[in-house]
Every structure is written in structure tokens, then in C-alpha cells.
Amino acid sequence: MDKLPYLFILNPNSGTSIGKKAEIIGQVIQNFAEKSGNQATVLFTKERGHATAIVRENLAKTNWKAIVAVGGDGTVNEIARALIGTDTPVGILPLGSGNGLARHLGLPLTLEGSLKRIFEGKIITIDSAQLNDIPFFCIAGIGFDAYVGYLFSQQSRRGLATYVQVSVQSYWNYKPQSLRLNGVDTQAFSLSFANAGQFGNNAWVAPQASLQDGLLDVCVIKPFPKWYGTSLAYRLFTKGLKNSRYIEYRNMTELSVEMDAPPVIHYDGEPMQLETNFIKIKINPESLRVIV
Ligand SMILES: Nc1ncnc2c1ncn2[C@@H]1O[C@H](COP(=O)(O)OP(=O)(O)OP(=O)(O)O)[C@@H](O)[C@H]1O
């Protein structure tokens, strides 16, 4: 049996209720590993960005079989960014709110099912991407979803219900943005750079996206009448956006976006206010190993 150890990094801030259960989940991971003849070290993050620091500190110390993100897409991002171009695979134990990458990959969403998959699954190599120097693995974007992500991050309550509430409230006053996409003037309600197909919670902005095609699926949601919003939302959750006249898809390996002012963006659901109005996005083919 292969005895290389696994490093699990748990973000107690992921999802809506890990916090109080973090220690118990850590214990479940340890017990499951032991029972299945594996070794696991479980570490807990203390703040935003800490997961990246933990990987960097520990990567050279031991030959890890895999480093597992216990949390949502933000936690996967923090861990995977330190594993790009290395042989060490990332595992995903999806305990976040949206779990876009895990859902795209069809991974189990239960604790036991995920642990079994992590210890028994196979490894594939996927593309990663970057927005300026920010790596992302699932989807990055500008526009309405970035704006909502930014407002959501300022709420004290998390979870899907809060997200829906913030989305609906901001929808009515939100105005499409003017930008230049590869130098061409474009009006967009939102612009998504999809490596994987969904934001999380099965909101499929680019259901056709593949993590292994060396391409980004760029989805432009063009300005639309407000009454059309429910139809777009329905299409988003039923993989039907492609048939809308307000949607345009392009496959690209890199692109540039220029805005009039530094925009709020999101990468893998993490909102961020940029300090520049020039954005370059590019794909890095076959750059991350993942357990599936
Ligand atoms: N110990 C911590 N305390 C506070 N925030 C943390 C801590 N560790 C990580 N974070 C931050 O928590 C945020 C949320 O993490 P994550 O994205 O994994 O969960 P989520 O938002 O519930 O899931 P998803 O992105 O799948 O919807 C990230 O911004 C991450 O940097």
C-alpha cells in the first residue's frame, strides 16, 4: 500500500456551519484515514490567505500524496495556487457554500463520500487560469456577479438564502458596464471567464466549459430588459443560457479587458477591488493535478 501522507487544510469559515464543527470534522477525517490505512495530518486556517501559507510552509517538508482543501472554492483557490506546476495533487472536500469546482467535477458532496473519493480516486491534470497575477480555477468575472459577491462578502450571514437576497436587492438598480473587450467597445451586464462551468450551487454560466481543453469559455451577458431576469436565472440553473439572445460565448486562450475605472472583480467567488483598469486573462493549460 502507498503510505505517503495526506495533508488536509480546513477552513472553519467555509460554508454556513463548519465553524463550531471544525474539530469534529478534523476527527472524522483522522478516523476515516486510519480505518482505510492512510495517514492524514489536519491543519486549520486562522485567517484569509493562511491556506496558501500553510501549503508553502509544508510542501517541501514532506512528500505529500495530496493536499486536500476542506472548504469551498475560495479555500481550493488558496491551496491550488501554491500547487500550480507541481506534482502534488489537490484534493477537494467540498464543505463550502457553493462548491463550484467540486460540482463541475461531479465529486461527492458528503463528508464520507468525499473522503472515500480522496483516498481512492484517480488523478487528472486540469487547466488553471489567471486574471492579471491572480490565479483562478473555476470562474473569474466582472459585472453583476462580482458586484453581488462584493456586497455578499459584507453581510454577517452567509449561505444561499443571503446570496439570493443580496442578488435580488441589487438587481433593480444595477447598470450594465461599458468596457473594451480585446479593444472592442462592449456593454455587459456581466462578463465571466469560465475555466469550469458553474459558479457553485449549480449556477451553470458555461455548462459546456471543460477543465481540460486549454480554453476559457468567455460568457458575455449583454444588457437585457429587467423583466427578462427571471428567464435568465431559470436558464442559469437549467444549463440553458446558450439559447438566450442576450448571451454570447467565445473560446479564448487569452484576452484583455479595459474599463473606465478599476473594477470590482471576483475570482472563484472571492470579490476584490482592483487597482488597475487594465485586465489580462489567460489560461495555463494542464497546470494542476486534481483528485477526482
Ligand atoms: N480561519 C479563517 N477565518 C476567516 N476567514 C477565513 C479563514 N480561513 C479562510 N478564510 C476565508 O474564508 C473565505 C470563504 O472560504 P470558501 O470560499 O472556502 O467558503 P465559501 O465561500 O463558503 O464557499 P464557496 O466559495 O464554495 O461558496 C475565503 O475568503 C477564505 O480566504
Side-chain angles (χ1 to χ4, degrees):
M1 191 191 302
D2 194 338
K3 286 292 177 193
L4 292 181
Y6 290 77
L7 175 60
F8 287 77
I9 302 176
L10 188 154
N11 170 4
N13 188 50
S14 305
T16 44
S17 58
I18 290 196
K20 294 177 207 130
K21 294 191 222 142
E23 295 290 337
I24 299 170
I25 294 168
Q27 201 53 55
V28 171
I29 295 171
Q30 290 286 5
N31 293 347
F32 195 102
E34 236 165 75
K35 273 198 201 138
S36 55
N38 291 287
Q39 286 179 59
T41 298
V42 183
L43 300 177
F44 300 88
T45 63
K46 294 200 170 67
E47 59 194 7
R48 197 169 185 187
H50 190 202
T52 310
I54 296 178
V55 178
R56 296 208 167 117
E57 252 170 54
N58 287 278
L59 193 55
K61 278 192 195 161
T62 305
N63 193 8
W64 301 102
K65 175 95 176 167
I67 300 187
V68 181
V70 186
D73 288 319
T75 309
V76 174
N77 182 296
E78 288 191 9
I79 290 168
R81 62 170 61 201
L83 296 177
I84 293 171
T86 72
D87 284 338
T88 309
V90 66
I92 305 174
L93 207 166
L95 296 185
S97 321
N99 306 310
L101 195 58
R103 287 178 196 266
H104 174 102
L105 289 166
L107 299 179
L109 297 173
T110 61
L111 187 52
E112 298 247 319
S114 309
L115 284 166
K116 194 164 160 26
R117 185 67 68 90
I118 285 157
F119 294 127
E120 295 175 10
K122 62 175 181 158
I123 295 168
I124 61 167
T125 303
I126 66 165
D127 307 330
S128 66
Q130 63 189 78
L131 185 156
N132 291 346
D133 58 356
I134 306 162
F136 66 94
F137 306 89
C138 199
I139 297 177
I142 304 169
F144 182 69
D145 27 297
Y147 176 64
V148 169
Y150 184 73
L151 296 180
F152 177 67
S153 70
Q154 315 204 312
Q155 307 293 312
S156 52
R157 284 177 67 87
R158 298 172 63 79
L160 183 60
T162 311
Y163 192 85
V164 170
Q165 189 192 356
V166 172
S167 306
V168 172
Q169 279 168 355
S170 9
Y171 174 72
W172 295 102
N173 297 323
Y174 186 79
K175 300 224 168 18
Q177 293 184 294
S178 302
L179 47 90
R180 280 162 297 286
L181 178 56
N182 282 344
V184 177
D185 284 334
T186 307
Q187 289 277 318
F189 176 80
S190 110
L191 194 55
S192 296
F193 316 112
N195 190 34
Q198 63 160 278
F199 292 124
N201 287 314
N202 290 325
W204 291 96
V205 70
Q208 72 285 359
S210 159
L211 287 164
Q212 294 183 292
D213 61 356
L215 294 168
L216 284 166
D217 287 62
V218 179
C219 174
V220 185
I221 304 187
K222 296 186 278 187
F224 57 87
K226 289 287 179 200
W227 58 262
Y228 191 74
T230 41
S231 172
L232 266 188
Y234 177 77
R235 288 164 191 269
L236 183 66
F237 287 98
T238 53
K239 299 191 175 181
L241 275 187
K242 162 161 110 254
N243 305 321
S244 165
R245 75 198 102 140
Y246 298 107
I247 302 292
E248 211 177 277
Y249 286 112
R250 302 171 195 185
N251 278 142
M252 293 178 166
T253 54
E254 57 179 64
L255 69 147
S256 67
V257 179
E258 198 185 329
M259 318 272 299
D260 294 333
V264 172
I265 58 118
H266 79 88
Y267 60 94
D268 295 343
E270 299 293 309
M272 182 187 225
Q273 171 67 61
L274 287 190
E275 285 173 5
T276 171
N277 40 352
F278 295 98
I279 302 171
K280 266 203 172 299
I281 299 106
K282 71 170 186 141
I283 192 103
N284 297 311
E286 298 182 14
S287 48
L288 180 75
R289 302 180 79 217
V290 185
I291 304 177
V292 293

